[in-house]
Each structure stands twice: as structure tokens, then as C-alpha cells.
Amino acid sequence: MGAQVKVYKRRIKSVSATKKITKAMEMIAASRVVKAQRRVAASTPYATELTRAVGAVAKGSTTQHALTSEAKNPTRAAVLLITSDRGLAGGYSSNVIKAGEQLTQRLTGEGKEVDSYIVGRKGVAYYGFRERKITESWTGFTDNPTYADAKKVAGPLIEAVLQETADGGVDELHIVSTEFVSMLTQTPVQDRLLPLSLEEKAVEQEKKGEILPLFEFEPSAEDVLDALLPRYVEARIYNALLQAAASKHAATRRAMKSATDNADELIKSLTRLANAARQADITQEISEIVGGASALADASAGSD
């Protein structure tokens, strides 16, 4: 039984070391998610107001522009999928990949060819394992994205939107990412960035009781929309990257807390088993001593 006690002690030591690692990762993720929340809170008003301004300019003009003009027969769409570079975040990446698959299937069912743009090693690995085509991918910055990273991602997408479909351009631009709702809730979302749906924006503004301002365009509405197009796409992608980063850190914190709690329970269970094995070992030794003493007593009585 002594050997069994040693096995339990080794397992307790191993689980305790793992618990220290998961606890440290939980604390790191908790500190990072607070910073990420602040960045989301700082970027969201700008992205929201820019979207509102674009909608107001487009609604107040009759200019046909890539920002607002619906193609008569859309045949090609770009989908930007934002995943994580790292794991240990529960179902974070798998949930957003699943949402991306649903969107791709829907667009394909509508007769549209889908160009896939991927952010994060998890998404790249998923598509690579299935030998599916990736138009362009970016990795290495999902934990702490910057505006420069957003511009780098937005560049090829804007170029594809402005090109003719015959030359490799797209009619629509969609984004699939994770919205940070709270520390406990992160929701995969699908959003169409281009063309901007003016009807939906108008309904939202009516519900909020907003009144659109009147604009005068100089030199023209088309020039204003040309200038707003890259800023709008970059701001929306940057906000999506920040939301995704905050969601990933929150998911990591939750997963590491669960792992730490499980390690605690396992240590308690192994400690009980080790105590039971030690008690059984002691009981056996006592029984052997008592049995030996009894045998000696019987032998002495027989000799007398």
C-alpha cells in the first residue's frame, strides 16, 4: 500500500503545478480583458458615429456609390472571419468559425461566390486542414490589435469592393466576429459592412428618436463618400478586432478559472484517496503486529 500512497502524492504534486499555471493564466487574462474593455469603449462611439454620418450622407444624396449601392445581381461576396491566434479559450474560436460557416452556406445558397479573408491562426488552420481556399489571411495581432492592423486588413477588402467582379472584385462585404457583451457573455455576430443598408439604419434611428442632420457636400457627395469609404471600413474592422480581443481574453479567463476549479476538486479527491490508502496501510501494519504478537503468545503458551 505504501507504493499506492506515493502514486497519489506524485499526482497531487503534478495537479498542483498545473493549478498554479492555470491560476496565473486566469489572472493575466483578467488584467488583459479590463484593458481590452477600455479600448472597446473608446473605439465604439467613433465607429457608431461614423456609420451614422455615412448613412446620413448617402441618404441625403442620389449618388451611386459602393458604400450604398446594391448590385442588381450580386454574384460575389467577401467574408472576413476574425478568430484567435491562440487556444485555451474554450469554444471561442470554434463558435465564430461555426457562425462563419453558416454565413458562407447562406451566401452560397443565394448563388454567390464567397472569398474568404481570415484573421487569426485558428481560422487559418481550420481552412488549411480542410484544404479550402483563403483569399488572404493575417496573424500575430489578435490579442492586442492596433489601428495599423485594422488598416492592413481593410486595404485588400476595400480594393476588392472597388473592383469590378469580372476583375476579382466583390459586390458585398461581410464580417464575422465576436461581440463582447459582458465578462460572461460573448456572442458571434454576422454583419454586412458593404453596401450599407440605409433602410435598416433609418429604422434604427427612428427607434432611437434620432434626427439626421442636413449636410452640404463640397466639392460633391461622391467625393465625400470616396473619402469616408476607407475610414468607415477601417473603423468598423478595428472595432470588431477590439471586440474580438476582449471576448477572447474573457473566454480565456473563464476557461482557466474552470481548469483551476477542476484542479482543486481533483486535488481534494486525490488527497482523500491518499489518506484512505495511508490509513489502510497503517491498519494493515497494526494487524500484522497484533497477529505477530498473538502468534508469539501462542508459541510461548505451547512451550510451557
Side-chain angles (χ1 to χ4, degrees):
M1 292 297 291
Q4 189 67 25
V5 172
K6 289 182 179 178
V7 171
Y8 287 134
K9 286 185 176 180
R10 277 200 303 268
R11 292 192 62 190
I12 290 171
K13 186 176 180 180
S14 175
V15 174
S16 297
T18 302
K19 176 189 170 183
K20 290 180 181 178
I21 295 172
T22 57
K23 184 65 176 179
M25 294 181 69
E26 177 190 347
M27 295 175 67
I28 291 171
S31 65
R32 287 178 175 175
V33 75
V34 171
K35 295 178 182 177
Q37 278 183 279
R38 291 173 183 166
R39 297 181 71 192
V40 170
S43 70
T44 298
Y46 176 75
T48 301
E49 287 303 315
L50 186 56
T51 302
R52 180 172 177 267
V54 169
V57 174
K59 195 173 181 64
S61 69
T62 58
T63 303
Q64 295 296 311
H65 195 273
L67 264 172
T68 57
S69 299
E70 296 272 359
K72 292 183 179 179
N73 295 304
T75 58
R76 199 179 187 97
V79 175
L80 174 63
L81 179 66
I82 300 178
T83 63
S84 175
D85 285 323
R86 303 180 184 180
L88 301 177
Y92 166 76
S93 289
S94 60
N95 289 338
V96 73
I97 288 173
K98 187 183 298 182
E101 290 289 271
Q102 293 172 353
L103 175 61
T104 300
Q105 290 177 4
R106 178 171 66 81
L107 294 173
T108 303
E110 294 173 358
K112 300 170 185 174
E113 186 178 349
V114 176
D115 290 348
S116 298
Y117 295 79
I118 313 294
V119 173
R121 292 190 179 94
K122 289 297 180 181
V124 172
Y126 178 87
Y127 274 66
F129 180 76
R130 288 157 181 78
E131 298 182 348
R132 294 169 57 178
K133 181 183 176 183
I134 300 176
T135 305
E136 196 154 349
S137 63
W138 303 268
T139 60
F141 56 79
T142 58
D143 282 356
N144 188 30
T146 64
Y147 195 81
D149 297 321
K151 290 185 70 173
K152 182 168 61 176
V153 174
L157 294 169
I158 295 171
E159 185 178 341
V161 170
L162 295 177
Q163 282 183 344
E164 296 292 334
T165 53
D167 299 327
V170 297
D171 299 309
E172 298 176 357
L173 172 57
H174 299 259
I175 185 170
V176 183
S177 61
T178 308
E179 181 183 8
F180 181 85
V181 180
S182 67
M183 291 293 290
L184 298 177
T185 307
Q186 299 85 43
T187 308
V189 292
Q190 306 170 5
D191 193 14
R192 192 181 78 172
L193 296 188
L194 297 174
L196 190 65
S197 178
L198 299 180
E199 290 75 13
E200 292 180 5
K201 298 302 176 185
V203 170
E204 291 178 5
Q205 289 163 347
E206 286 179 5
K207 289 181 179 179
K208 295 178 181 178
E210 296 180 355
I211 300 175
L212 289 176
L214 297 176
F215 288 95
E216 292 183 4
F217 310 120
E218 291 185 4
S220 66
E222 185 175 1
D223 291 331
V224 172
L225 291 173
D226 284 340
L228 287 176
L229 173 60
R231 294 172 184 251
Y232 164 74
V233 175
E234 290 166 5
R236 292 292 299 274
I237 290 177
Y238 180 53
N239 184 255
L241 288 172
L242 292 178
Q243 296 258 9
S247 299
K248 190 268 178 185
H249 294 316
T252 297
R253 177 183 175 275
R254 190 167 60 251
M256 291 301 99
K257 185 179 186 307
S258 178
T260 302
D261 293 342
N262 290 339
D264 275 330
E265 291 299 322
L266 186 54
I267 289 171
K268 291 178 183 178
S269 177
L270 291 171
T271 301
R272 284 194 293 266
L273 291 173
N275 291 337
R278 186 164 50 250
Q279 289 170 0
D281 194 13
I282 294 170
T283 302
Q284 183 178 350
E285 289 179 359
I286 293 173
S287 298
E288 290 174 353
I289 292 170
V290 171
S294 178
L296 287 173
D298 290 342
S300 297
S303 62
D304 292 341

